mmCIF file of all heavy atoms in Angstrom:
data_model
loop_
_atom_site.group_PDB
_atom_site.id
_atom_site.type_symbol
_atom_site.label_atom_id
_atom_site.label_comp_id
_atom_site.label_asym_id
_atom_site.label_seq_id
_atom_site.Cartn_x
_atom_site.Cartn_y
_atom_site.Cartn_z
ATOM 1 N N ALA A 11 -10.690 9.696 5.158
ATOM 2 C CA ALA A 11 -9.519 10.419 5.642
ATOM 3 C C ALA A 11 -8.356 10.322 4.657
ATOM 4 O O ALA A 11 -7.667 11.314 4.386
ATOM 5 C CB ALA A 11 -9.107 9.871 7.006
ATOM 6 N N LEU A 12 -8.139 9.133 4.101
ATOM 7 C CA LEU A 12 -7.055 8.958 3.139
ATOM 8 C C LEU A 12 -7.337 9.705 1.846
ATOM 9 O O LEU A 12 -6.448 10.346 1.274
ATOM 10 C CB LEU A 12 -6.839 7.476 2.856
ATOM 11 C CG LEU A 12 -5.900 6.747 3.816
ATOM 12 C CD1 LEU A 12 -5.965 5.250 3.594
ATOM 13 C CD2 LEU A 12 -4.472 7.234 3.641
ATOM 14 N N ALA A 13 -8.564 9.623 1.372
ATOM 15 C CA ALA A 13 -8.919 10.324 0.132
ATOM 16 C C ALA A 13 -8.766 11.835 0.299
ATOM 17 O O ALA A 13 -8.311 12.534 -0.612
ATOM 18 C CB ALA A 13 -10.351 9.979 -0.265
ATOM 19 N N LYS A 14 -9.099 12.332 1.473
ATOM 20 C CA LYS A 14 -8.940 13.762 1.745
ATOM 21 C C LYS A 14 -7.474 14.146 1.766
ATOM 22 O O LYS A 14 -7.094 15.230 1.319
ATOM 23 C CB LYS A 14 -9.605 14.099 3.081
ATOM 24 C CG LYS A 14 -9.591 15.584 3.419
ATOM 25 C CD LYS A 14 -10.342 15.849 4.721
ATOM 26 C CE LYS A 14 -10.341 17.344 5.057
ATOM 27 N NZ LYS A 14 -11.072 17.602 6.330
ATOM 28 N N ARG A 15 -6.630 13.257 2.249
ATOM 29 C CA ARG A 15 -5.208 13.537 2.370
ATOM 30 C C ARG A 15 -4.503 13.518 1.017
ATOM 31 O O ARG A 15 -3.678 14.393 0.724
ATOM 32 C CB ARG A 15 -4.564 12.512 3.312
ATOM 33 C CG ARG A 15 -3.051 12.585 3.419
ATOM 34 C CD ARG A 15 -2.557 13.875 4.006
ATOM 35 N NE ARG A 15 -3.022 14.085 5.371
ATOM 36 C CZ ARG A 15 -2.744 15.152 6.100
ATOM 37 N NH1 ARG A 15 -2.017 16.127 5.576
ATOM 38 N NH2 ARG A 15 -3.203 15.270 7.328
ATOM 39 N N ILE A 16 -4.815 12.534 0.157
ATOM 40 C CA ILE A 16 -4.057 12.387 -1.095
ATOM 41 C C ILE A 16 -4.874 12.712 -2.345
ATOM 42 O O ILE A 16 -4.323 12.711 -3.448
ATOM 43 C CB ILE A 16 -3.477 10.962 -1.221
ATOM 44 C CG1 ILE A 16 -4.591 9.913 -1.360
ATOM 45 C CG2 ILE A 16 -2.583 10.643 -0.028
ATOM 46 C CD1 ILE A 16 -4.072 8.501 -1.610
ATOM 47 N N GLY A 17 -6.158 12.991 -2.187
ATOM 48 C CA GLY A 17 -6.999 13.310 -3.336
ATOM 49 C C GLY A 17 -7.744 12.086 -3.842
ATOM 50 O O GLY A 17 -7.230 10.966 -3.797
ATOM 51 N N ASN A 18 -8.949 12.305 -4.320
ATOM 52 C CA ASN A 18 -9.801 11.187 -4.736
ATOM 53 C C ASN A 18 -9.221 10.390 -5.899
ATOM 54 O O ASN A 18 -9.349 9.167 -5.954
ATOM 55 C CB ASN A 18 -11.191 11.707 -5.108
ATOM 56 C CG ASN A 18 -12.002 12.110 -3.891
ATOM 57 O OD1 ASN A 18 -11.938 11.470 -2.848
ATOM 58 N ND2 ASN A 18 -12.766 13.189 -4.018
ATOM 59 N N LYS A 19 -8.579 11.094 -6.841
ATOM 60 C CA LYS A 19 -8.049 10.399 -8.022
ATOM 61 C C LYS A 19 -6.952 9.421 -7.635
ATOM 62 O O LYS A 19 -6.972 8.236 -8.023
ATOM 63 C CB LYS A 19 -7.535 11.411 -9.042
ATOM 64 C CG LYS A 19 -7.031 10.763 -10.328
ATOM 65 C CD LYS A 19 -6.585 11.821 -11.333
ATOM 66 C CE LYS A 19 -6.094 11.175 -12.620
ATOM 67 N NZ LYS A 19 -5.638 12.184 -13.614
ATOM 68 N N LEU A 20 -5.967 9.892 -6.860
ATOM 69 C CA LEU A 20 -4.879 9.010 -6.438
ATOM 70 C C LEU A 20 -5.385 7.939 -5.493
ATOM 71 O O LEU A 20 -4.955 6.778 -5.567
ATOM 72 C CB LEU A 20 -3.770 9.827 -5.775
ATOM 73 C CG LEU A 20 -2.547 9.023 -5.296
ATOM 74 C CD1 LEU A 20 -1.945 8.217 -6.433
ATOM 75 C CD2 LEU A 20 -1.511 9.957 -4.676
ATOM 76 N N TRP A 21 -6.308 8.299 -4.609
ATOM 77 C CA TRP A 21 -6.869 7.301 -3.694
ATOM 78 C C TRP A 21 -7.530 6.163 -4.475
ATOM 79 O O TRP A 21 -7.368 4.993 -4.139
ATOM 80 C CB TRP A 21 -7.877 7.948 -2.756
ATOM 81 C CG TRP A 21 -8.789 6.954 -2.082
ATOM 82 C CD1 TRP A 21 -10.127 6.854 -2.233
ATOM 83 C CD2 TRP A 21 -8.423 5.908 -1.181
ATOM 84 N NE1 TRP A 21 -10.626 5.811 -1.489
ATOM 85 C CE2 TRP A 21 -9.591 5.212 -0.827
ATOM 86 C CE3 TRP A 21 -7.210 5.496 -0.638
ATOM 87 C CZ2 TRP A 21 -9.594 4.132 0.025
ATOM 88 C CZ3 TRP A 21 -7.208 4.405 0.230
ATOM 89 C CH2 TRP A 21 -8.395 3.746 0.557
ATOM 90 N N GLY A 22 -8.234 6.496 -5.540
ATOM 91 C CA GLY A 22 -8.877 5.457 -6.338
ATOM 92 C C GLY A 22 -7.870 4.486 -6.932
ATOM 93 O O GLY A 22 -8.112 3.276 -6.987
ATOM 94 N N LYS A 23 -6.723 5.010 -7.366
ATOM 95 C CA LYS A 23 -5.684 4.146 -7.933
ATOM 96 C C LYS A 23 -4.996 3.310 -6.864
ATOM 97 O O LYS A 23 -4.807 2.096 -7.021
ATOM 98 C CB LYS A 23 -4.646 4.999 -8.665
ATOM 99 C CG LYS A 23 -5.159 5.693 -9.912
ATOM 100 C CD LYS A 23 -4.039 6.469 -10.589
ATOM 101 C CE LYS A 23 -4.514 7.114 -11.881
ATOM 102 N NZ LYS A 23 -3.405 7.775 -12.617
ATOM 103 N N VAL A 24 -4.617 3.962 -5.775
ATOM 104 C CA VAL A 24 -3.883 3.272 -4.716
ATOM 105 C C VAL A 24 -4.740 2.189 -4.071
ATOM 106 O O VAL A 24 -4.274 1.069 -3.824
ATOM 107 C CB VAL A 24 -3.402 4.287 -3.654
ATOM 108 C CG1 VAL A 24 -2.839 3.566 -2.430
ATOM 109 C CG2 VAL A 24 -2.345 5.213 -4.248
ATOM 110 N N SER A 25 -5.988 2.492 -3.828
ATOM 111 C CA SER A 25 -6.858 1.556 -3.113
ATOM 112 C C SER A 25 -7.197 0.312 -3.929
ATOM 113 O O SER A 25 -7.636 -0.689 -3.359
ATOM 114 C CB SER A 25 -8.146 2.261 -2.678
ATOM 115 O OG SER A 25 -8.877 2.702 -3.801
ATOM 116 N N SER A 26 -6.983 0.358 -5.231
ATOM 117 C CA SER A 26 -7.255 -0.813 -6.060
ATOM 118 C C SER A 26 -5.984 -1.535 -6.490
ATOM 119 O O SER A 26 -6.044 -2.549 -7.184
ATOM 120 C CB SER A 26 -8.055 -0.405 -7.305
ATOM 121 O OG SER A 26 -7.332 0.526 -8.090
ATOM 122 N N ALA A 27 -4.821 -1.040 -6.064
ATOM 123 C CA ALA A 27 -3.547 -1.633 -6.463
ATOM 124 C C ALA A 27 -3.248 -2.895 -5.662
ATOM 125 O O ALA A 27 -3.618 -3.014 -4.495
ATOM 126 C CB ALA A 27 -2.422 -0.624 -6.284
ATOM 127 N N LYS A 28 -2.537 -3.822 -6.321
ATOM 128 C CA LYS A 28 -2.143 -5.083 -5.696
ATOM 129 C C LYS A 28 -0.627 -5.234 -5.823
ATOM 130 O O LYS A 28 -0.094 -5.259 -6.932
ATOM 131 C CB LYS A 28 -2.858 -6.251 -6.381
ATOM 132 C CG LYS A 28 -4.380 -6.197 -6.242
ATOM 133 C CD LYS A 28 -5.061 -7.335 -6.988
ATOM 134 C CE LYS A 28 -4.983 -7.136 -8.488
ATOM 135 N NZ LYS A 28 -5.757 -8.171 -9.227
ATOM 136 N N VAL A 29 0.035 -5.339 -4.673
ATOM 137 C CA VAL A 29 1.498 -5.340 -4.642
ATOM 138 C C VAL A 29 2.001 -6.571 -3.899
ATOM 139 O O VAL A 29 1.531 -6.882 -2.801
ATOM 140 C CB VAL A 29 2.041 -4.073 -3.953
ATOM 141 C CG1 VAL A 29 3.570 -4.081 -3.949
ATOM 142 C CG2 VAL A 29 1.514 -2.812 -4.657
ATOM 143 N N ALA A 30 2.967 -7.259 -4.506
ATOM 144 C CA ALA A 30 3.607 -8.408 -3.858
ATOM 145 C C ALA A 30 4.899 -7.962 -3.201
ATOM 146 O O ALA A 30 5.723 -7.285 -3.835
ATOM 147 C CB ALA A 30 3.890 -9.503 -4.877
ATOM 148 N N VAL A 31 5.073 -8.321 -1.938
ATOM 149 C CA VAL A 31 6.310 -8.043 -1.216
ATOM 150 C C VAL A 31 6.998 -9.376 -0.964
ATOM 151 O O VAL A 31 6.512 -10.203 -0.184
ATOM 152 C CB VAL A 31 6.039 -7.307 0.108
ATOM 153 C CG1 VAL A 31 7.360 -6.973 0.796
ATOM 154 C CG2 VAL A 31 5.232 -6.028 -0.137
ATOM 155 N N CYS A 32 8.118 -9.585 -1.636
ATOM 156 C CA CYS A 32 8.817 -10.866 -1.612
ATOM 157 C C CYS A 32 10.010 -10.775 -0.675
ATOM 158 O O CYS A 32 11.039 -10.175 -1.007
ATOM 159 C CB CYS A 32 9.272 -11.227 -3.023
ATOM 160 S SG CYS A 32 7.934 -11.218 -4.237
ATOM 161 N N GLY A 33 9.860 -11.353 0.498
ATOM 162 C CA GLY A 33 10.842 -11.210 1.561
ATOM 163 C C GLY A 33 10.349 -10.195 2.563
ATOM 164 O O GLY A 33 10.056 -9.059 2.208
ATOM 165 N N LEU A 34 10.255 -10.589 3.838
ATOM 166 C CA LEU A 34 9.646 -9.731 4.854
ATOM 167 C C LEU A 34 10.636 -9.378 5.958
ATOM 168 O O LEU A 34 10.288 -9.312 7.132
ATOM 169 C CB LEU A 34 8.404 -10.416 5.441
ATOM 170 C CG LEU A 34 7.339 -10.826 4.414
ATOM 171 C CD1 LEU A 34 6.177 -11.516 5.110
ATOM 172 C CD2 LEU A 34 6.853 -9.636 3.608
ATOM 173 N N GLY A 35 11.877 -9.132 5.563
ATOM 174 C CA GLY A 35 12.897 -8.730 6.519
ATOM 175 C C GLY A 35 12.959 -7.221 6.654
ATOM 176 O O GLY A 35 11.941 -6.536 6.672
ATOM 177 N N GLY A 36 14.186 -6.693 6.731
ATOM 178 C CA GLY A 36 14.349 -5.259 6.929
ATOM 179 C C GLY A 36 13.747 -4.430 5.813
ATOM 180 O O GLY A 36 13.144 -3.382 6.064
ATOM 181 N N LEU A 37 13.905 -4.873 4.593
ATOM 182 C CA LEU A 37 13.292 -4.169 3.468
ATOM 183 C C LEU A 37 11.791 -4.428 3.414
ATOM 184 O O LEU A 37 10.975 -3.514 3.454
ATOM 185 C CB LEU A 37 13.941 -4.602 2.149
ATOM 186 C CG LEU A 37 15.367 -4.144 1.896
ATOM 187 C CD1 LEU A 37 15.918 -4.811 0.644
ATOM 188 C CD2 LEU A 37 15.425 -2.623 1.755
ATOM 189 N N GLY A 38 11.421 -5.690 3.294
ATOM 190 C CA GLY A 38 10.031 -6.029 3.025
ATOM 191 C C GLY A 38 9.057 -5.608 4.107
ATOM 192 O O GLY A 38 7.961 -5.121 3.812
ATOM 193 N N SER A 39 9.447 -5.781 5.378
ATOM 194 C CA SER A 39 8.512 -5.405 6.444
ATOM 195 C C SER A 39 8.287 -3.898 6.459
ATOM 196 O O SER A 39 7.172 -3.430 6.688
ATOM 197 C CB SER A 39 9.022 -5.894 7.803
ATOM 198 O OG SER A 39 10.252 -5.284 8.153
ATOM 199 N N ASN A 40 9.336 -3.120 6.185
ATOM 200 C CA ASN A 40 9.188 -1.667 6.128
ATOM 201 C C ASN A 40 8.418 -1.225 4.889
ATOM 202 O O ASN A 40 7.601 -0.302 4.963
ATOM 203 C CB ASN A 40 10.576 -1.006 6.176
ATOM 204 C CG ASN A 40 11.145 -0.962 7.575
ATOM 205 O OD1 ASN A 40 10.654 -0.260 8.439
ATOM 206 N ND2 ASN A 40 12.197 -1.732 7.803
ATOM 207 N N ILE A 41 8.679 -1.853 3.747
ATOM 208 C CA ILE A 41 7.910 -1.546 2.531
ATOM 209 C C ILE A 41 6.429 -1.777 2.786
ATOM 210 O O ILE A 41 5.586 -0.940 2.457
ATOM 211 C CB ILE A 41 8.386 -2.419 1.356
ATOM 212 C CG1 ILE A 41 9.800 -2.036 0.919
ATOM 213 C CG2 ILE A 41 7.424 -2.304 0.170
ATOM 214 C CD1 ILE A 41 10.438 -3.044 -0.029
ATOM 215 N N ALA A 42 6.110 -2.916 3.374
ATOM 216 C CA ALA A 42 4.705 -3.262 3.601
ATOM 217 C C ALA A 42 4.019 -2.260 4.522
ATOM 218 O O ALA A 42 2.866 -1.865 4.282
ATOM 219 C CB ALA A 42 4.607 -4.669 4.183
ATOM 220 N N VAL A 43 4.708 -1.823 5.574
ATOM 221 C CA VAL A 43 4.127 -0.838 6.492
ATOM 222 C C VAL A 43 3.844 0.466 5.757
ATOM 223 O O VAL A 43 2.770 1.068 5.908
ATOM 224 C CB VAL A 43 5.047 -0.615 7.708
ATOM 225 C CG1 VAL A 43 4.652 0.646 8.463
ATOM 226 C CG2 VAL A 43 4.989 -1.817 8.633
ATOM 227 N N MET A 44 4.788 0.926 4.953
ATOM 228 C CA MET A 44 4.579 2.185 4.233
ATOM 229 C C MET A 44 3.447 2.080 3.221
ATOM 230 O O MET A 44 2.642 3.014 3.073
ATOM 231 C CB MET A 44 5.888 2.609 3.568
ATOM 232 C CG MET A 44 6.902 3.181 4.553
ATOM 233 S SD MET A 44 8.447 3.731 3.785
ATOM 234 C CE MET A 44 9.426 2.236 3.888
ATOM 235 N N LEU A 45 3.354 0.962 2.530
ATOM 236 C CA LEU A 45 2.277 0.805 1.549
ATOM 237 C C LEU A 45 0.918 0.674 2.243
ATOM 238 O O LEU A 45 -0.095 1.166 1.734
ATOM 239 C CB LEU A 45 2.548 -0.413 0.667
ATOM 240 C CG LEU A 45 3.782 -0.307 -0.236
ATOM 241 C CD1 LEU A 45 3.926 -1.574 -1.075
ATOM 242 C CD2 LEU A 45 3.716 0.923 -1.141
ATOM 243 N N ALA A 46 0.902 0.025 3.401
ATOM 244 C CA ALA A 46 -0.347 -0.067 4.164
ATOM 245 C C ALA A 46 -0.807 1.314 4.606
ATOM 246 O O ALA A 46 -1.992 1.655 4.503
ATOM 247 C CB ALA A 46 -0.163 -0.981 5.369
ATOM 248 N N ARG A 47 0.112 2.131 5.089
ATOM 249 C CA ARG A 47 -0.239 3.490 5.513
ATOM 250 C C ARG A 47 -0.708 4.335 4.327
ATOM 251 O O ARG A 47 -1.558 5.216 4.483
ATOM 252 C CB ARG A 47 0.958 4.160 6.191
ATOM 253 C CG ARG A 47 1.314 3.558 7.530
ATOM 254 C CD ARG A 47 2.299 4.431 8.283
ATOM 255 N NE ARG A 47 2.733 3.815 9.528
ATOM 256 C CZ ARG A 47 2.031 3.788 10.659
ATOM 257 N NH1 ARG A 47 0.831 4.347 10.695
ATOM 258 N NH2 ARG A 47 2.519 3.213 11.751
ATOM 259 N N ALA A 48 -0.160 4.058 3.154
ATOM 260 C CA ALA A 48 -0.545 4.818 1.960
ATOM 261 C C ALA A 48 -1.911 4.410 1.417
ATOM 262 O O ALA A 48 -2.461 5.119 0.574
ATOM 263 C CB ALA A 48 0.510 4.639 0.873
ATOM 264 N N GLY A 49 -2.443 3.280 1.882
ATOM 265 C CA GLY A 49 -3.767 2.866 1.459
ATOM 266 C C GLY A 49 -3.815 1.874 0.317
ATOM 267 O O GLY A 49 -4.873 1.685 -0.299
ATOM 268 N N VAL A 50 -2.678 1.213 0.013
ATOM 269 C CA VAL A 50 -2.685 0.195 -1.040
ATOM 270 C C VAL A 50 -3.731 -0.864 -0.713
ATOM 271 O O VAL A 50 -3.848 -1.312 0.425
ATOM 272 C CB VAL A 50 -1.281 -0.427 -1.189
ATOM 273 C CG1 VAL A 50 -1.331 -1.690 -2.030
ATOM 274 C CG2 VAL A 50 -0.331 0.583 -1.824
ATOM 275 N N GLY A 51 -4.479 -1.266 -1.739
ATOM 276 C CA GLY A 51 -5.637 -2.118 -1.506
ATOM 277 C C GLY A 51 -5.334 -3.536 -1.074
ATOM 278 O O GLY A 51 -6.004 -4.093 -0.206
ATOM 279 N N LYS A 52 -4.309 -4.155 -1.699
ATOM 280 C CA LYS A 52 -4.016 -5.552 -1.370
ATOM 281 C C LYS A 52 -2.523 -5.783 -1.396
ATOM 282 O O LYS A 52 -1.818 -5.347 -2.307
ATOM 283 C CB LYS A 52 -4.691 -6.508 -2.360
ATOM 284 C CG LYS A 52 -4.468 -7.985 -2.034
ATOM 285 C CD LYS A 52 -5.324 -8.903 -2.899
ATOM 286 C CE LYS A 52 -5.148 -10.361 -2.508
ATOM 287 N NZ LYS A 52 -6.027 -11.258 -3.290
ATOM 288 N N LEU A 53 -2.028 -6.491 -0.374
ATOM 289 C CA LEU A 53 -0.637 -6.878 -0.303
ATOM 290 C C LEU A 53 -0.512 -8.394 -0.271
ATOM 291 O O LEU A 53 -1.248 -9.071 0.455
ATOM 292 C CB LEU A 53 0.031 -6.300 0.950
ATOM 293 C CG LEU A 53 0.213 -4.787 1.018
ATOM 294 C CD1 LEU A 53 0.848 -4.403 2.349
ATOM 295 C CD2 LEU A 53 1.055 -4.272 -0.142
ATOM 296 N N TYR A 54 0.390 -8.906 -1.081
ATOM 297 C CA TYR A 54 0.766 -10.313 -1.032
ATOM 298 C C TYR A 54 2.071 -10.386 -0.242
ATOM 299 O O TYR A 54 3.085 -9.810 -0.654
ATOM 300 C CB TYR A 54 0.983 -10.873 -2.434
ATOM 301 C CG TYR A 54 -0.230 -10.789 -3.328
ATOM 302 C CD1 TYR A 54 -0.482 -9.645 -4.079
ATOM 303 C CD2 TYR A 54 -1.117 -11.859 -3.429
ATOM 304 C CE1 TYR A 54 -1.594 -9.568 -4.901
ATOM 305 C CE2 TYR A 54 -2.237 -11.787 -4.253
ATOM 306 C CZ TYR A 54 -2.465 -10.637 -4.979
ATOM 307 O OH TYR A 54 -3.571 -10.558 -5.798
ATOM 308 N N LEU A 55 2.060 -11.058 0.887
ATOM 309 C CA LEU A 55 3.231 -11.159 1.762
ATOM 310 C C LEU A 55 3.829 -12.548 1.628
ATOM 311 O O LEU A 55 3.163 -13.552 1.929
ATOM 312 C CB LEU A 55 2.839 -10.894 3.214
ATOM 313 C CG LEU A 55 2.122 -9.569 3.506
ATOM 314 C CD1 LEU A 55 1.818 -9.460 4.998
ATOM 315 C CD2 LEU A 55 2.953 -8.370 3.041
ATOM 316 N N ILE A 56 5.097 -12.615 1.200
ATOM 317 C CA ILE A 56 5.716 -13.897 0.882
ATOM 318 C C ILE A 56 7.040 -14.032 1.627
ATOM 319 O O ILE A 56 7.973 -13.242 1.419
ATOM 320 C CB ILE A 56 5.947 -14.023 -0.642
ATOM 321 C CG1 ILE A 56 4.634 -13.794 -1.405
ATOM 322 C CG2 ILE A 56 6.538 -15.392 -0.977
ATOM 323 C CD1 ILE A 56 4.807 -13.579 -2.889
ATOM 324 N N ASP A 57 7.127 -15.026 2.501
ATOM 325 C CA ASP A 57 8.366 -15.308 3.233
ATOM 326 C C ASP A 57 8.189 -16.641 3.958
ATOM 327 O O ASP A 57 7.082 -16.959 4.411
ATOM 328 C CB ASP A 57 8.688 -14.205 4.244
ATOM 329 C CG ASP A 57 10.144 -14.201 4.675
ATOM 330 O OD1 ASP A 57 10.649 -15.263 5.090
ATOM 331 O OD2 ASP A 57 10.790 -13.141 4.592
#
């Protein structure tokens, strides 16, 4: 479903990306939700 929505090329990049979110308050918790919905492969949550 995600690959169909954003295209296979971008899905391949997003699904293998690793992003650290430092601080999980108003900024970090919202950033993490958006990146999860976008299909980012791995999140490091630090707080």
Side-chain angles (χ1 to χ4, degrees):
L12 273 170
K14 184 177 181 180
R15 174 64 62 181
I16 66 175
N18 287 323
K19 183 178 180 181
L20 181 56
W21 163 244
K23 293 182 177 185
V24 171
S25 63
S26 61
K28 297 177 288 185
V29 181
V31 183
C32 306
L34 304 179
L37 290 172
S39 63
N40 281 292
I41 292 168
V43 165
M44 285 181 269
L45 294 181
R47 291 192 184 281
V50 167
K52 182 171 183 177
L53 292 178
Y54 300 87
L55 305 181
I56 305 167
D57 199 308

